Amino acid sequence: MSQSESVTMEKIVALCKRRGFVFPGSEIYGGLAGVFDFGPNGVELLNNLKRAWWKANVYDKENYYGLDAGMFKNPRVWDASGHTSGFSDPLADCRECNTRIRVDKELAAIGIQADEKMSEAEINKLFDEQRENIPCPKCGKKNFTPARAFNLLVKSNLGDFTSEGGEPVYLPGEACQGIYLNYKNVVDSMSPKLPFGLVQINKAFRNEISPRNFLFRTREMEQADTQLFVKPHENKSAFEQIKQDRMNWYLSIGIKPKNLRFKQHENLVFYASDAWDIEYNFPSLGFDELEGIHDRTDYDLKQHMEFSGVDLTYLDPETNERYIPWILETSVGMGRMFLAVLADAYHEEEMGDGIRTVLKLRPDLAPYRVAVSPLLKNKPELVAKAREVFLMLKKEFGNVAWDDNGNVGKRYRRQDEIGTPYCIVIDFDTLGENPDLLDTVTVRHRDTGDQERVNIIELVNKLK
Ligand code: ATP
């Protein structure tokens, strides 16, 4: 069986629960569909991924700036973005058995790509052309109602004291609006020259009709976005560069090339000039969208300029011209990134007398850099020495695990499943039982299971 066949979503979900990566949200109350909680190991992997993404998109670049916008926004923002009128899942009901389908997903399944930001009329045109090819998944008939747009925005009553809740403030349907809203503030405060990028990781909420496939489709999510502001019509080569950069980044964090691919959108929303997805071969799901890369022309700033009445043009310091910059966007859900990285690192392989599960994560992404344990936990002299090593490494690396549960073999298996790249064991030789090995420890390597003897004073450099 190939690696990708042996990794199922079920196994990933089970590992995430067993090893404290991800738990179902509100589990003791029976859960809440489409919401998950990151546990102690999950939050470390998630934060390491965010740090790596931030480094690649802010620190390793020039003229890119970070932001962290408030989640709630003036409701007019969502009118300008088109979300109150158009941000929707197109749903149709089977007239024979009342089964409800998502028309864009059924179209995608037969190779017709529809954009979820299309109008009802645009989607229905594609749907009508393909009705003969889309049978009801339950009864097999082809007698559907027209597609109706089901709005995905989540409402809140923030600051709304009317008893009817008639003035809802929405939770963000996408994180990028926080960037567009602050474009002028950044231009005024930082005086960036075009092209410049604004970058943000922020929460988004969608009333997904059927949240499923674990972290792949949730109702609460976090999106990591970059928006590059460029001169009008100077989009093509920058767009190509961004596409390649983003693909290379996934490869650099250890995702296997065979599990990644590009897919170009066939049917674009009216304002977009080009749109691509980076797809990942998700377990039990196959290739599907990991990240969207969109050439959005001047649509976003134009809309906000019209709806707010505020001048959002950019004064070119070289030519003294005023124009609305065009925007090139990348957007990835942190949950989908987390799932892709975890699934790609997941391996089951023979070791010793059994099959082990191991997460071969890039060492700087793993929840723990290293685990330290005394050979026996009931020998105070071993425990004292192990704690000394543990505290020394903790001071250096921070994320160091103390593991004295069960025997050493069980500890290795547990740390393999968490993805800890190195396990250090303090034994009687460390204490000088064999004088040649005084002050040395066993370092066991996650990926090979190989062990070596290392002097304590060399440990920090060796692990670095
Ligand atoms: P899909 O077609 O799968 O619904 P989308 O095209 O609506 O995704 P975008 O609006 O482009 O997605 O959002 C950007 C990114 O946010 C996606 O590439 C994906 O990684 C993530 N994302 C979108 N919706 C969800 C969701 N419901 N759960 C988790 N991540 C999501």
Side-chain angles (χ1 to χ4, degrees):
M1 204 186 313
S2 77
Q3 162 65 15
S4 50
E5 283 165 354
S6 70
V7 187
T8 62
M9 194 68 94
E10 220 181 338
K11 287 182 184 177
I12 298 287
V13 173
L15 175 93
C16 281
K17 177 93 198 291
R18 185 166 77 244
R19 293 295 174 214
F21 281 94
V22 182
F23 308 124
S26 321
E27 194 179 14
I28 60 169
Y29 286 98
L32 180 68
V35 181
F36 291 90
D37 297 342
F38 288 90
N41 288 324
V43 74
E44 295 299 333
L45 173 56
L46 184 68
N47 285 341
N48 290 340
L49 283 170
K50 286 183 191 172
R51 259 193 294 276
W53 182 90
W54 193 269
K55 180 177 178 301
N57 290 291
V58 183
Y59 306 150
D60 292 352
K61 296 211 168 130
E62 284 180 42
N63 232 13
Y64 273 71
Y65 304 84
L67 278 178
D68 189 9
M71 255 195 303
F72 290 103
K73 293 168 178 69
N74 186 305
R76 293 274 290 155
V77 170
W78 305 109
D79 295 334
S81 68
H83 283 71
T84 41
S85 57
F87 179 64
S88 48
D89 275 352
L91 304 180
D93 293 324
C94 172
R95 289 195 173 101
E96 311 289 333
C97 71
N98 293 327
T99 295
R100 183 162 280 180
I101 59 161
R102 242 187 89 171
V103 175
D104 57 333
K105 294 296 164 202
E106 294 298 330
L107 284 167
I110 55 166
I112 309 288
Q113 211 179 359
D115 193 296
E116 79 282 358
K117 292 184 186 78
M118 281 179 166
S119 69
E120 226 173 59
E122 284 171 304
I123 287 274
N124 269 312
K125 183 168 173 291
L126 292 174
F127 187 31
D128 287 343
E129 284 165 11
Q130 298 297 332
R131 275 176 181 267
E132 266 313 296
N133 303 320
I134 303 179
C136 170
K138 191 159 172 213
C139 72
K141 306 243 170 65
K142 296 169 182 169
N143 187 10
F144 288 106
T145 62
R148 282 176 299 107
F150 178 83
N151 199 290
L152 297 181
L153 276 185
V154 178
K155 289 177 186 167
S156 84
N157 68 345
L158 184 88
D160 178 9
F161 300 102
T162 62
S163 53
E164 307 78 29
E167 294 164 14
V169 172
Y170 298 97
L171 275 79
E174 59 185 17
C176 57
Q177 294 301 327
I179 295 184
Y180 308 142
L181 296 181
N182 283 293
Y183 147 83
K184 182 172 160 37
N185 286 330
V186 175
V187 169
D188 291 348
S189 59
M190 312 294 287
S191 311
K193 306 272 178 307
L194 288 180
F196 69 88
L198 296 182
V199 168
Q200 177 181 242
I201 302 177
N202 213 332
K203 289 252 177 179
F205 300 81
R206 294 183 185 182
N207 242 336
E208 296 279 359
I209 196 80
S210 48
R212 61 182 179 277
N213 294 318
F214 193 37
L215 299 174
F216 182 82
R217 191 169 298 288
T218 52
R219 289 187 174 139
E220 175 177 343
M221 72 188 103
E222 218 168 6
Q223 289 179 316
D225 288 352
T226 71
Q227 311 278 333
L228 184 69
F229 297 76
V230 298
K231 287 186 185 175
H233 306 288
E234 293 194 0
N235 50 332
K236 290 280 180 252
S237 70
F239 191 69
E240 264 322 298
Q241 186 63 48
I242 288 173
K243 272 172 55 196
Q244 293 312 324
D245 280 356
R246 292 304 303 140
M247 181 60 96
N248 288 342
W249 185 73
Y250 286 111
L251 297 171
S252 78
I253 59 167
I255 298 193
K256 297 175 195 76
K258 67 173 176 134
N259 287 331
L260 288 165
R261 71 180 189 197
F262 279 118
K263 184 171 179 192
Q264 187 172 22
H265 288 213
E266 291 160 15
N267 301 297
L268 294 170
V269 258
F270 68 91
Y271 56 80
S273 147
D274 201 1
W276 291 71
D277 292 338
I278 293 181
E279 294 192 327
Y280 178 74
N281 190 9
F282 288 96
S284 308
L285 193 67
F287 278 97
D288 211 326
E289 177 174 345
L290 168 62
E291 167 161 342
I293 304 177
H294 308 130
D295 186 340
R296 300 177 63 88
T297 68
D298 58 1
Y299 177 76
D300 305 286
L301 291 181
K302 223 165 155 179
Q303 286 291 103
H304 284 303
M305 187 155 142
E306 186 187 326
F307 277 71
S308 69
V310 172
D311 182 3
L312 297 180
T313 55
Y314 175 84
L315 176 63
D316 193 316
E318 279 161 19
T319 62
N320 251 359
E321 271 177 285
R322 278 200 169 275
Y323 47 75
I324 299 178
W326 284 24
I327 291 180
L328 307 175
E329 167 187 74
T330 73
S331 182
V332 54
M334 287 306 309
R336 287 191 195 179
M337 189 200 291
F338 181 102
L339 182 57
V341 167
L342 203 126
D344 223 77
Y346 184 102
H347 290 75
E348 287 173 355
E349 56 191 28
E350 273 174 37
M351 183 167 274
D353 49 5
I355 303 279
R356 71 158 181 169
T357 300
V358 54
L359 290 187
K360 295 185 175 176
L361 293 166
R362 203 175 74 171
D364 61 320
L365 297 177
Y368 290 107
R369 193 61 172 250
V370 53
V372 178
S373 47
L375 181 66
L376 301 168
K377 70 172 173 184
N378 58 358
K379 296 285 177 211
E381 60 279 29
L382 285 180
V383 174
K385 191 71 187 168
R387 281 208 48 88
E388 217 179 272
V389 173
F390 169 70
L391 292 174
M392 175 190 84
L393 294 177
K394 206 164 166 54
K395 202 166 155 203
E396 186 65 36
F397 298 110
N399 54 343
V400 179
W402 173 263
D403 194 346
D404 61 6
N405 278 331
N407 61 34
V408 169
K410 285 210 174 101
R411 293 176 207 163
Y412 287 160
R413 291 290 178 273
R414 181 164 45 242
Q415 296 300 330
D416 282 348
E417 290 201 352
I418 295 170
T420 310
Y422 307 102
C423 288
I424 290 175
V425 177
I426 282 74
D427 56 20
F428 292 106
D429 287 339
T430 315
L431 303 179
E433 194 168 282
N434 175 349
D436 290 346
L437 298 179
L438 177 69
D439 282 335
T440 64
V441 295
T442 300
V443 177
R444 186 256 190 190
H445 295 245
R446 175 195 69 196
D447 292 350
T448 55
D450 292 347
Q451 302 187 5
E452 61 176 323
R453 209 69 202 179
V454 177
N455 204 303
I456 290 173
I457 51 169
E458 288 165 12
L459 266 180
V460 168
N461 273 343
K462 183 100 187 158
L463 293 174
K464 272 184 179 166

